[in-house]
Each structure stands twice: as C-alpha cells, then as structure tokens.
Amino acid sequence: MAPVLVVLYADDLPDGLDAIEEVADVRYATADTLGDAVDGADALLLWDFFSPAVESAWPRCGSLKWIHIAAAGVDSLMFDELVESDVVVTNSRGVFDRPIAEFVLAQILAFAKDSERSRALQHSKIWQHRETERIDGAHAMIVGTGAIGRAIANLLTAVGMSVSGVGRTAREGDTDFGTVHASDHLADVASGADYLVLVAPLTDKTRGLVDDSVLAAMKPGSRLVNVGRGELLDADALLTHLGSGHIAGAALDVFETEPLSADHPLWTAENVVVTPHMSGDAAGWKRRLAEVFADNAHRYFRGEPLLNVVDKKLGFVP
C-alpha cells in the first residue's frame, strides 16, 4: 500500500507536489477536517504551520511517524504528547536564512541613516540637513546562534560591523561569532551591543529572555531588532526604555499576539518600526518551502535519513 501523507493547509496549497502524489496517497485537510484525514496517516506536512490543530487531533495520530513543518520555528507544534512520542519532526531550515539576514541589515541601515525621519521630512517638504551614522565598527550582539543567526553574523561582518553571539553556552573562537556569550548572562554583557538582534528559537529557556534587566543594561542609544519570536521580548519593558530614550529604536517583525492589535502602543511608539512577520518571506519563499519538503518526502519514502531533524527536547535543529 502507498504511504499516506496529509497536508494541513489554511488558505493556499503548496505547489510542486505532483511527484509526491504519484507515490503516496495524499490527503488535503484544514484544521476542521484534520482529525479524519490523519487517521491512519504515515506523515503530515504542516503547511499551515501556526495551526494548533495537531494537538487537537493527536488522539487520532496513532499511525503517524513523521511531521514536517513549513517553517523554521517549531514552538507552535511542541506540545508535551508529541515531544514524548516517537514521531520525527523536521523543519524548513535554510529557506529563510539569507532573507532574514538581509532584512536585519536593512533595519540597521535604516536606523543609522535616519531613513524614517527623512521620509517624514519629505512629506512635510522640509529641507533639513543632518548627519547620519556609520555602521562599520558598530557591534551587533546576535541572540541565537543557529543557521539564521550565523547568516546574519556573516552579512553584518561583511559590511564592517563586529559581531558576537548569545547561545546556550559561552565559548570563544566560534567560526562566525568569535565570542558566544551564555544566554543566562545576557544582562551582564548587553552593554557591549550597539544593536541587539533577536533570532533565537522560542523555548522554555528563551521565553522572556530580553526583560527589563537586559534592556536596562543595554548601552544608552542602542537599538533592538527582533526577527525571532515576540515572546523573547518583554514589550512593556521595551516601551518604557524607548519612552525614556535609553533605547533609541526598535525594529519588530514578530509579536506575542499576531496580528498586533490596533490599539497596541507599539504602533505609535517613537522610533519603532513594525512589520507583519515578513522578514524571511522573500519572493519565491513558498516554492522553496515546497521544494525542501519534497526532498525530505522522497527521502522518507525511500527509507533514507531525513534532513533538518528537530531535537524535540531542545525545540530546534541542533
């Protein structure tokens, strides 16, 4: 019998699965129909990667052996029963690395070159000469030392910035970061950053990592860029430090609740850039996601080792 693959989707279906349909019984399901579809299934593609439907349907997932999520972060999927099970989880590591790195560089340049103010002055037809900042020699501390963090480090290094990393354990001589600080001691080292860049996966250890103590320890006039998860950051504490001028600016692409509510003060906070969780979504990203899954699916059907296997206890690909 052909293996059974379920594709969980919301609004759109992945392209390029024709070859998969030739060798597998592919069932397409929404959150409402997942329970029926996954009954007896071998594998599951989470194209709707933020959906909580898998946990709801878990009692009917007894035959499931593999779940692939069309995202880099897997925090929305890691409920206790799945973590303790034998089901293998893979992610889409590699698709978003370069686009997110470019996005981070763009935000840093926009702050340094005062782009938002230039646009506002243009709208008001005001000719106001100003000096801007150079970014070469500025220090970016990157919280998250996985593939995306390394892509950010490499790009920022290429434009003359110095970088360091923040990860689970402290170490020296890292190929991409040089120095990696332990996340437990972030408040002790945050004063060294001109830009604090958040890209860490959301786990029990990183939730709320950048709190008031870290923000207070940051260098006066420093800035923050969050392209990881909203829950990494205490948004209320950030607003306080932005209001006092201690933190000079923040570029936020992710939020604890998405979409960001219309009445949230971040929308109108001074020197805050809000974007709708788009940092990795460069043109062609959905096609790339489908290609990564298709490659892994063929590996699965042939009994070959899968790529991007998540350590479910850690919550990311080691």
Side-chain angles (χ1 to χ4, degrees):
M1 294 180 61
V4 177
L5 165 68
V6 175
V7 178
L8 175 66
Y9 72 100
D11 302 317
D12 61 335
L13 291 170
D15 292 327
L17 297 189
D18 295 349
I20 303 297
E21 292 178 342
E22 292 177 1
V23 295
D25 175 8
V26 180
R27 305 171 183 173
Y28 294 92
T30 62
D32 293 337
T33 62
L34 180 62
D36 289 335
V38 81
D39 198 356
D42 301 282
L44 172 63
L45 166 60
L46 293 186
W47 194 249
D48 182 11
F49 49 84
F50 280 133
S51 173
V54 178
E55 184 173 8
S56 300
W58 188 250
R60 303 185 69 176
C61 294
S63 63
L64 205 60
K65 302 176 184 66
W66 170 46
I67 297 176
H68 181 89
I69 185 167
V74 298
D75 49 277
S76 61
L77 180 63
M78 290 292 105
F79 55 92
D80 291 344
E81 291 84 356
L82 173 58
V83 171
E84 298 300 327
S85 75
D86 293 328
V87 175
V88 176
V89 175
T90 58
N91 74 354
S92 300
R93 179 177 179 173
V95 172
F96 304 105
D97 301 4
R98 178 70 186 199
I100 292 178
E102 292 177 356
F103 190 93
V104 169
L105 175 58
Q107 300 303 319
I108 290 173
L109 283 168
F111 281 130
K113 302 308 175 186
D114 206 14
S115 298
E116 184 176 1
R117 191 175 176 195
S118 292
R119 190 68 173 168
L121 291 169
Q122 177 185 340
H123 284 166
S124 300
K125 300 180 181 179
I126 296 174
W127 184 278
Q128 184 182 97
H129 181 270
R130 287 136 31 237
E131 294 181 344
T132 62
E133 304 168 18
R134 296 175 61 149
I135 65 170
D136 59 320
H139 185 75
M141 188 173 291
I142 301 168
V143 182
T145 56
I148 297 175
R150 292 180 183 279
I152 295 170
N154 289 333
L155 189 56
L156 299 187
T157 299
V159 296
M161 298 184 72
S162 65
V163 301
S164 62
V166 177
R168 286 179 296 156
T169 57
R171 56 191 182 274
E172 296 291 339
D174 185 274
T175 303
D176 299 306
F177 298 101
T179 298
V180 175
H181 307 285
S183 57
D184 290 345
H185 298 288
L186 180 55
D188 299 328
V189 298
S191 62
D194 297 295
Y195 293 90
L196 188 66
V197 180
L198 312 184
V199 70
L202 182 62
T203 68
D204 290 340
K205 290 189 175 182
T206 62
R207 189 181 301 274
L209 177 63
V210 182
D211 58 11
D212 182 70
S213 67
V214 171
L215 294 167
M218 288 175 65
K219 181 187 301 186
S222 58
R223 286 129 176 168
L224 181 144
V225 180
N226 190 4
V227 290
R229 285 289 186 264
E231 295 92 332
L232 300 174
L233 172 68
D234 183 336
D236 290 337
L238 175 64
L239 283 165
T240 297
H241 288 282
L242 285 164
S244 71
H246 176 70
I247 302 296
L252 307 175
D253 187 53
V254 289
F255 305 89
E256 187 169 359
T257 300
E258 297 180 2
L260 189 66
S261 62
D263 60 350
H264 200 289
L266 283 171
W267 283 113
T268 54
E270 191 76 15
N271 297 321
V272 173
V273 178
V274 171
T275 51
H277 204 144
M278 58 178 279
S279 61
D281 299 348
W285 65 285
K286 290 186 178 181
R287 173 184 54 78
R288 284 286 299 119
L289 287 174
E291 290 172 352
V292 168
F293 168 71
D295 181 27
N296 245 359
H298 287 300
R299 288 172 176 271
Y300 177 79
F301 298 146
R302 294 193 295 259
E304 298 174 358
L306 296 174
L307 301 177
N308 297 345
V309 175
V310 173
D311 184 321
K312 294 185 292 182
K313 299 290 187 182
L314 295 176
F316 51 87
V317 178

